[in-house]
Amino acid sequence: MRMSGVKTQIPDFGLVYYAVLETPSGDTYEIREQDFLTAIKSGHLFAPAFNDIEALHRPMMKNLGDLMYWPVAPLFAASWVNSAIRSTLNML
């Protein structure tokens, strides 16, 4: 098998990475990043290129991926301000 790429999914605003492995016959398999890294550390998957691997993504790319949360930030801020005002008024 060879690693042909990394797939990214965003279910419920949670970023999930998958290692895409391909067999010589063309079959592809996707393994979740955490399971892939666990298999490497336990010795079930071995390749010289995997010796120093700690993640399937670069930290900078993860930071760029987190930008998807900014459009909902005003909604969270408005909700927080609203609840703060209500709790203050309830104390009076």
Side-chain angles (χ1 to χ4, degrees):
M1 289 186 141
R2 72 178 186 90
M3 187 171 164
S4 62
V6 175
K7 182 178 176 182
T8 305
Q9 289 187 346
I10 307 169
D12 300 329
F13 282 101
L15 192 58
V16 180
Y17 294 99
Y18 292 88
V20 180
L21 303 175
E22 188 175 327
T23 63
S25 63
D27 296 328
T28 59
Y29 299 94
E30 296 175 2
I31 302 174
R32 199 169 48 117
E33 178 184 32
Q34 183 179 1
D35 298 333
F36 182 70
L37 296 174
T38 301
I40 290 170
K41 289 179 183 174
S42 67
H44 290 93
L45 287 175
F46 176 77
F50 295 154
N51 286 343
D52 298 326
I53 193 168
E54 294 181 13
L56 293 178
H57 60 279
R58 293 186 181 126
M60 180 62 179
M61 293 297 114
K62 179 172 182 339
N63 293 338
L64 285 175
D66 288 343
L67 290 175
M68 70 179 173
Y69 297 113
W70 284 105
V72 294
L75 297 173
F76 287 122
S79 175
W80 179 79
V81 168
N82 187 17
S83 66
I85 291 171
R86 284 184 183 202
S87 65
T88 303
L89 290 175
N90 287 338
M91 286 186 210
L92 298 176

